């Protein structure tokens, strides 16, 4: 079956805009906050409502779809796979911090074909497809400071999960090396929006080591179309040859970045977790 790629890209953008007004109105209001896994993983009724609205819209526009949402799991068995995070940065959204977004990415086979990321508070739309990368409809080109020591890095590492997996001392030493090397290091709390900022040239690099496909699929399309680079890291969760958007680790760099430290630390983290997993399997045998 031949798919209209331009229509798929337009659907991703329209799906983001569909839920923007309601989420913007709900932001900084009183809301019920629940937790999915632990206190680091909140969810609100607005996440669930927005995801349902996006899901229904996508199936109307592109019936040959499979929908994978953060809250509701996989629905359908169509050729176009959608990875959707209705609110990436829910912890920020729930507490009133204005760094969260709606992320909608489309995949056919293992190829990310379109992505849209919408920041309702700033009313900023990032899109990426075969037509290029765009910021509020205008062509967007990534750019980065070429020197790592002058760069701005957005990185959530380490969190408590990283302490458990890598050891607190080692994780903090890595964090210290990044803090000392980069001119500025920020931890704003949304992988999708962080990578979109790299694509726009508002930050030079971003990295994460606990993301899901709905966090990064749209961002991969946007960043690469803008001229930046996205390097996935398996962390032992998937085979190295798996599709980029499936891997839980990543380094995103703006165009022109020549940063030796960040990719080296990312590779150390991934290799260490791969080795630890292999060791556990050996012991189990």
């Amino acid at each position: 079956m031949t798919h209209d790629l331009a229509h798929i890209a337009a659907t991703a953008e329209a799906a983001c805009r569909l839920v923007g007004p309601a989420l913007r109105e709900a932001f900084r209001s009183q809301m019920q906050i629940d937790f999915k896994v632990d206190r680091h993983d909140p969810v609100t009724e607005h996440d669930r409502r927005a995801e349902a609205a996006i899901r229904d819209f996508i199936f109307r526009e592109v019936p040959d779809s499979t929908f994978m949402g953060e809250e509701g799991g996989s629905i359908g068995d169509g050729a176009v796979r959608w990875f959707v995070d209705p609110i990436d940065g829910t912890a920020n959204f729930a507490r009133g911090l204005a760094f969260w977004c709606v992320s909608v990415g489309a995949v056919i086979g293992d190829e990310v074909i379109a992505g849209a990321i919408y920041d309702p508070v700033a009313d900023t739309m990032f899109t990426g497809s075969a037509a290029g990368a765009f910021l509020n409809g205008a062509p967007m080109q990534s750019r980065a400071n070429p020197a790592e020591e002058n760069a701005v890095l957005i990185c959530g590492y380490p969190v408590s999960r990283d302490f458990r997996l890598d050891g607190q001392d080692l994780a903090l030493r890595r964090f210290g090396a990044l803090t000392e090397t980069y001119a500025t290091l920020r931890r704003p709390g949304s992988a999708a929006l962080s990578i979109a900022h790299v694509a726009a040239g508002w930050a030079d690099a971003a990295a994460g080591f606990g993301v899901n496909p709905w966090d990064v699929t749209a961002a991969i399309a946007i960043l690469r179309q803008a001229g930046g680079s996205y390097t996935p890291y398996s962390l032992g969760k998937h085979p190295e040859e798996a599709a980029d958007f499936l891997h839980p680790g990543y380094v995103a760099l703006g165009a022109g970045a020549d940063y030796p430290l960040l990719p080296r630390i990312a590779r150390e983290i991934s290799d260490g977790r791969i080795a630890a997993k292999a060791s556990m399997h050996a012991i189990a045998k």
Side-chain angles (χ1 to χ4, degrees):
M1 179 178 180
T2 302
H3 294 90
D4 184 341
L5 300 186
H7 178 65
I8 290 172
T11 297
E13 179 175 352
C16 287
R17 292 194 183 279
L18 175 69
V19 298
L23 293 177
R24 188 164 48 242
E25 182 178 354
F27 182 53
R28 292 176 177 160
S29 68
Q30 293 294 320
M31 66 183 74
Q32 176 67 39
I33 303 171
D34 300 317
F35 298 92
K36 291 180 285 187
V37 177
D38 57 30
R39 61 190 173 86
H40 303 293
D41 195 14
V43 63
T44 73
E45 68 270 26
H46 305 293
D47 296 77
R48 301 184 181 101
R49 191 175 301 130
E51 181 171 299
I54 292 172
R55 181 187 64 236
D56 292 346
F57 176 78
I58 284 174
F59 278 116
R60 286 197 303 271
E61 292 295 315
V62 186
D64 186 28
S65 290
T66 300
F67 184 92
M68 176 62 75
E70 180 177 13
E71 310 308 332
S74 182
I75 298 173
D77 58 359
V80 184
R81 290 189 290 163
W82 298 85
F83 292 92
V84 173
D85 195 336
I87 307 176
D88 187 47
T90 296
N92 290 343
F93 173 82
R95 293 303 302 270
L97 296 174
F99 198 89
W100 53 274
C101 66
V102 185
S103 178
V104 178
V107 173
I108 296 178
D110 284 337
E111 181 183 359
V112 182
I113 59 169
I117 293 172
Y118 183 49
D119 177 347
V121 178
D123 192 21
T124 305
M125 177 67 73
F126 309 84
T127 58
S129 67
F134 299 89
L135 174 61
N136 288 338
M140 179 173 65
Q141 178 64 49
S142 174
R143 63 189 184 280
N145 194 303
E148 197 166 30
E149 62 270 19
N150 295 326
V152 174
L153 168 63
I154 302 176
C155 182
Y157 184 89
V159 296
S160 59
R161 176 189 59 248
D162 301 314
F163 289 162
R164 294 193 302 270
L165 294 173
D166 301 341
Q168 188 177 82
D169 290 344
L170 179 57
L172 289 175
R173 284 201 300 272
R174 288 168 174 159
F175 177 71
L178 293 171
T179 302
E180 289 180 343
T181 298
Y182 279 81
T184 305
L185 192 155
R186 294 288 182 260
R187 298 164 60 92
S190 165
L193 196 53
S194 295
I195 298 169
H197 279 222
V198 175
W202 301 341
D204 300 297
F209 303 97
V211 297
N212 296 293
W214 47 80
D215 300 318
V216 297
T217 299
I220 291 172
I222 295 165
L223 177 65
R224 286 180 170 163
Q225 286 296 328
S229 66
Y230 183 93
T231 304
Y233 295 87
S234 75
L235 309 183
K237 294 288 187 179
H238 297 284
E240 292 289 320
E241 64 273 15
D244 291 354
F245 57 87
L246 295 176
H247 291 306
Y250 76 89
V251 167
L253 300 177
D258 181 17
Y259 303 165
L261 178 65
L262 181 59
R264 178 174 63 79
I265 287 179
R267 176 48 60 191
E268 286 178 1
I269 293 170
S270 188
D271 288 349
R273 295 187 188 179
I274 291 170
K277 185 176 181 179
S279 177
M280 289 178 62
H281 284 172
I283 293 171
K285 291 180 181 178

